[in-house]
Amino acid sequence: MDPKNLAFALGYTKCLLKLSKFTQIIELSNVIPFLASSSECWRFLSIAYYKRADYKMANGCCIEALRLDSENKLADKQRKYLKKLGKGNLNDRLTIRYEKKVIDYEPDYFKNSKSNENLVYNILSIDGGGIRDILPALWLSEIEYRTHRPISHLFNMIAGTSTGGIIAAGLSAPVLHDKSYSNIQPVFSASELLDFYRNHAMKLFTVDENQNYFTSFLSSTKYKYTNSGRSALFKERFNKTKLHQSLTELVIPATNEVTPYLFTRYDACNDELKNDSFVDTLMATTATPTFFPPYEIKNKGVFLDGGVHINNPAMTAYHEAIRYNVDIKKVFMLSLGTGSYIPNPSKPDLYREKLFWSQNSYKISEDENEIDRQMYHLLGNCYQRWQVWLEEPIGLDYCKMIPHLLEIGNQYLEELDYSDENPINKLVESFENKNFLLY
């Protein structure tokens, strides 16, 4: 890089922002001193510090950017936006905001929301991602908070893969009250799922206490965790509930031997042989290779994690809606990601050992970004994709990263609110009027 070419240096910095390489931007400013004379450079630095949740430094960079150029409108906008963040402990703020919310379980609204006469057929799609699924749990908690309604009353279909399937099932399965199932209330609210991820996610990852280094070394098939934690959790919360009892259409992908397999409410209602329990369904879709043993369902075979083939179930959900004879002109879809990572082009193998799918023989067959592009092509403004970009990959079981994930998830909500289009408000408005389309 030419140390005297400011335009080139700023262009390079902007590229690093696009790649979410925030640490490199901060380091670059120390390597090239003349960048300190650029107001735009200080604005870029502010964004880098903001993305790292260092709001004090981010604000300081904005002040310097405006000192160098008082007409820098983007820096001024960034400074005003930063005032909304960093006030108090985020975990405490989330507790206050979501745990005291009121959810209305109205039978009439629920019945009307499923009516074929509605002009809108809402689909919710949730990616797999291990503990990163705390992001969809947070975003769905915000939707419930603003609408005062459970997610199963807002969407006609919910699709989820792997841990996204846990969220989908939790929001769809009916709660058991006094030996009878509710016909309007799910097992979990979104905020209860958020609380689970915040405080109990480690229960999903139980190790075999009887396995030591020697027995592990001798074993021909080693798995990082046992099935006991997931199995106990699913049995406790879902008991013997079956797919046909779901409050909304449900699509949960898994992998049967080597081919994709879909657990659906639609098939469960039409074929008793496909009316699996929620426990079996969730054990199958979360049987992540090398992390957990494969899961066997009697007379159906052995199952692996749905993310082996369908980590982003958006397109799968769309095709299921077609199979259910839904008028495609009615479809609106909200697709929730769990954080994506762009490798550094100059160091493509950096962190490769942390990327699960690249260190095993299993590979996701469909590019998630390509699915995203296809869905935009098919649905246009009737498709929303919520996604964040990670500076470094976060493993499926990296529970220590939950506070960081909450921070960037909350940043994303604030960005949606602060944007000119404000898609989250449009979404809430569409739920208030079931005949209102987003386009």
Side-chain angles (χ1 to χ4, degrees):
M1 180 186 298
D2 184 351
K4 296 181 180 180
N5 190 328
L6 178 60
F8 182 84
L10 288 175
Y12 181 68
T13 304
K14 193 172 183 178
C15 287
L16 290 176
L17 272 181
K18 294 287 186 181
L19 293 170
S20 301
K21 308 305 177 188
F22 311 119
T23 301
Q24 286 182 247
I25 293 171
I26 294 169
E27 292 172 347
L28 187 67
S29 66
N30 295 325
V31 174
I32 307 177
F34 75 84
L35 284 174
S37 63
S38 166
S39 174
E40 194 67 352
C41 175
W42 283 101
R43 185 176 72 84
F44 290 157
L45 271 173
S46 174
I47 296 173
Y49 279 115
Y50 151 71
K51 288 294 187 179
R52 289 168 57 88
D54 188 340
Y55 301 124
K56 183 177 180 180
M57 284 295 295
N59 188 61
C61 290
C62 271
I63 292 173
E64 182 63 16
L66 290 167
R67 185 189 71 80
L68 292 169
D69 180 5
S70 60
E71 299 300 317
N72 190 330
K73 294 181 180 179
L74 291 176
D76 187 51
K77 185 177 181 179
Q78 173 81 355
R79 183 181 60 84
K80 292 176 181 177
Y81 168 72
L82 286 168
K83 289 182 179 180
K84 300 178 63 178
L85 298 168
K87 295 180 180 178
N89 180 274
L90 176 59
N91 210 44
D92 292 341
R93 299 203 317 269
L94 292 177
T95 299
I96 294 171
R97 184 172 181 83
Y98 297 135
E99 291 189 1
K100 295 182 180 180
K101 74 179 186 306
V102 176
I103 295 181
D104 298 324
Y105 296 99
E106 296 182 16
D108 287 343
Y109 183 92
F110 177 70
K111 181 180 179 180
N112 292 335
S113 71
K114 308 303 178 184
S115 171
N116 291 331
E117 296 179 3
N118 282 325
L119 294 180
V120 187
Y121 187 93
N122 289 318
I123 299 176
L124 172 64
S125 173
I126 309 169
D127 289 11
I131 59 98
R132 299 196 311 275
D133 267 287
I134 196 172
L135 293 169
L138 171 62
W139 297 336
L140 291 169
S141 295
E142 183 65 18
I143 291 173
E144 280 193 347
Y145 174 82
R146 297 194 189 196
T147 61
H148 304 290
R149 298 191 186 280
I151 296 300
S152 58
H153 291 209
L154 302 175
F155 291 91
N156 302 83
M157 176 192 293
I158 304 179
T161 298
S162 192
T163 43
I166 298 176
I167 295 177
L171 298 173
S172 302
V175 68
L176 184 63
H177 283 314
D178 298 326
K179 298 183 179 181
S180 63
Y181 287 99
S182 170
N183 58 4
I184 58 172
Q185 185 176 350
V187 171
F188 287 97
S189 67
S191 61
E192 287 170 339
L193 284 165
L194 176 62
D195 178 71
F196 170 79
Y197 274 98
R198 287 164 60 195
N199 300 306
H200 308 289
M202 278 302 299
K203 292 181 180 179
L204 294 171
F205 307 105
T206 52
V207 297
D208 185 354
E209 296 179 355
N210 296 319
Q211 179 172 288
N212 55 37
Y213 176 82
F214 182 70
T215 58
S216 175
F217 179 78
L218 292 178
S219 174
S220 59
T221 55
K222 307 182 192 70
Y223 302 104
K224 195 172 182 179
Y225 304 107
T226 70
N227 282 338
S228 60
R230 288 155 48 245
S231 178
L233 171 68
F234 299 155
K235 288 176 180 178
E236 176 189 351
R237 298 312 295 260
F238 297 97
N239 200 268
K240 297 180 180 180
T241 313
K242 291 203 168 185
L243 292 177
H244 81 282
Q245 296 170 291
S246 176
L247 299 174
T248 188
E249 292 295 350
L250 187 64
V251 179
I252 297 181
T255 302
N256 188 281
E257 305 294 347
V258 294
T259 60
Y261 183 94
L262 299 182
F263 294 92
T264 71
R265 176 188 178 276
Y266 181 88
D267 289 330
C269 291
N270 290 284
D271 184 349
E272 182 57 33
L273 294 177
K274 294 185 177 181
N275 191 17
D276 295 280
S277 70
F278 273 86
V279 172
D280 280 343
T281 299
L282 293 180
M283 289 298 293
T285 192
T286 59
T288 311
T290 75
F291 281 76
F292 299 106
Y295 185 74
E296 184 174 1
I297 299 178
K298 187 177 180 181
N299 299 325
K300 289 196 173 181
V302 176
F303 290 83
L304 298 174
D305 192 298
V308 171
H309 289 288
I310 309 173
N311 198 57
N312 176 350
M315 184 64 73
T316 301
Y318 178 78
H319 286 302
E320 283 298 289
I322 294 175
R323 186 164 75 98
Y324 304 167
N325 295 317
V326 174
D327 183 351
I328 297 306
K329 294 179 181 178
K330 289 184 174 184
V331 171
F332 166 79
M333 182 181 292
L334 174 63
S335 174
L336 303 181
T338 57
S340 191
Y341 167 73
I342 305 174
N344 189 331
S346 63
K347 300 178 181 179
D349 292 327
L350 187 66
Y351 301 120
R352 186 173 179 82
E353 75 282 358
K354 292 185 180 180
L355 298 171
F356 167 72
W357 301 111
S358 66
Q359 60 177 292
N360 294 280
S361 57
Y362 304 96
K363 294 182 180 179
I364 297 176
S365 62
E366 296 175 284
D367 180 73
E368 292 177 23
N369 294 327
E370 179 58 29
I371 293 174
D372 194 28
R373 287 189 288 270
Q374 291 174 12
M375 293 311 303
Y376 271 118
H377 175 73
L378 289 168
L379 296 177
N381 291 335
C382 287
Y383 173 76
Q384 283 191 24
R385 173 70 168 173
W386 294 8
Q387 178 67 296
V388 296
W389 298 94
L390 307 173
E391 182 171 17
E392 298 178 5
I394 296 176
L396 305 180
D397 57 345
Y398 284 16
C399 293
K400 64 182 180 180
M401 295 301 291
I402 283 176
H404 175 66
L405 287 166
L406 284 173
E407 194 68 57
I408 61 177
N410 184 64
Q411 286 180 358
Y412 188 77
L413 287 174
E414 295 288 357
E415 289 167 11
L416 291 179
D417 259 338
Y418 206 67
S419 68
D420 293 334
E421 295 181 352
N422 202 329
I424 192 168
N425 273 354
K426 288 185 178 179
L427 187 63
V428 170
E429 289 173 7
S430 74
F431 292 136
E432 291 175 350
N433 181 353
K434 292 292 289 185
N435 291 330
F436 175 76
L437 289 171
L438 290 185
Y439 59 80

